[in-house]
Amino acid sequence: MAFFRTVSLAEPAGTIEGKGVVLRPPQMSDFEEWAVLREQSREFLTPWEPTWPMDDLTRGAFRRRLKRYAEDQRSDQSYAFFIFRSPDRVLVGGLTLANVRRGVAQAGSIGYWMGAPFARRGFMTAAVRALVPYAFSALRLHRLEAACIPTNAPSMRLLESCGFTREGYARQYLCINGLWQDHLLFARLKDDPPG
């Protein structure tokens, strides 16, 4: 049953190059740019995210976030990336492959956020398209999953354009913006045609 073993990564995930974007794990040196972009995008992101803690944009909270990201990656549970625009390395958003399940599942769930100034410009599509081969080859997953609120038409279009198929509807699936919200469920399999 060696096929179902946990992947052991000796080194942290490196950078992933995509069309016009670079994905890399967050670093402490990203704090200022991240905090400014998140604050600037708060109103834009609030309807689609869990409620932000009061100290969310503080240096201490960011440090704790990085520690959790590193622990999750070491234990093969989650892989967090910041998305940077290629030419000038400006931070535009974030993408996480989380809830990695090994054994007979070999699956993980993606979640993402985009800074308001960079929305609907193709950066997230490029980032997801860059992450997919990494997840299927380097991490040896068989299935990628994603969920979005039914009113989030841009996210649905993004997932479908990246080769994800709508598979179902989950009632009160996640607590978003303080409310248990229904979600549409999407998935992409390793052998599915590219999006």
Side-chain angles (χ1 to χ4, degrees):
M1 284 292 188
F3 173 76
F4 295 122
R5 249 188 341 237
T6 297
V7 171
S8 175
L9 294 177
E11 301 176 11
T15 60
I16 301 171
E17 302 275 338
K19 186 177 179 183
V21 296
V22 174
L23 284 65
R24 77 156 165 74
Q27 303 169 355
M28 197 64 210
S29 58
D30 298 321
F31 169 71
E32 298 287 341
E33 190 175 12
W34 172 84
V36 167
L37 182 59
R38 294 285 293 176
E39 181 58 43
Q40 183 181 25
S41 305
R42 184 185 294 259
E43 187 176 319
F44 173 73
L45 295 171
T46 296
W48 318 114
E49 292 192 351
T51 303
W52 295 12
M54 292 295 286
D55 70 341
D56 196 48
L57 300 181
T58 65
R59 188 174 296 278
F62 188 75
R63 189 175 287 111
R64 289 188 300 276
R65 181 184 297 264
L66 293 183
K67 183 178 178 189
R68 187 180 69 245
Y69 289 161
E71 290 168 356
D72 286 351
Q73 183 177 316
R74 270 193 304 278
S75 61
D76 190 37
Q77 294 178 14
S78 181
Y79 297 83
F81 297 93
F82 278 175
I83 305 164
F84 297 88
R85 191 168 53 194
S86 286
D88 54 9
R89 295 300 201 260
V90 168
L91 177 65
V92 299
L95 174 61
T96 303
L97 173 57
N99 195 24
V100 173
R101 289 147 355 254
R102 294 298 179 176
V104 296
Q106 298 297 322
S109 302
I110 65 167
Y112 41 82
W113 65 272
M114 180 58 55
F118 307 105
R120 296 180 182 91
R121 293 172 54 186
F123 295 118
M124 189 57 70
T125 300
V128 171
R129 286 182 176 158
L131 181 72
V132 167
Y134 173 81
F136 289 146
S137 61
L139 298 180
R140 298 197 309 257
L141 296 178
H142 169 74
R143 176 183 173 86
L144 292 177
E145 300 167 343
C148 67
I149 295 172
T151 56
N152 192 344
S155 192
M156 286 185 273
R157 282 192 302 272
L158 181 148
L159 291 168
E160 290 168 347
S161 76
C162 291
F164 284 74
T165 301
R166 182 174 163 186
E167 290 189 335
Y169 189 91
R171 297 178 305 124
Q172 296 186 15
Y173 185 62
L174 297 172
C175 189
I176 301 296
N177 194 21
L179 300 171
W180 287 101
Q181 305 246 8
D182 297 351
H183 280 67
L184 297 174
L185 305 177
F186 291 81
R188 178 165 172 183
L189 305 179
K190 182 177 182 177
D191 297 328
D192 282 349

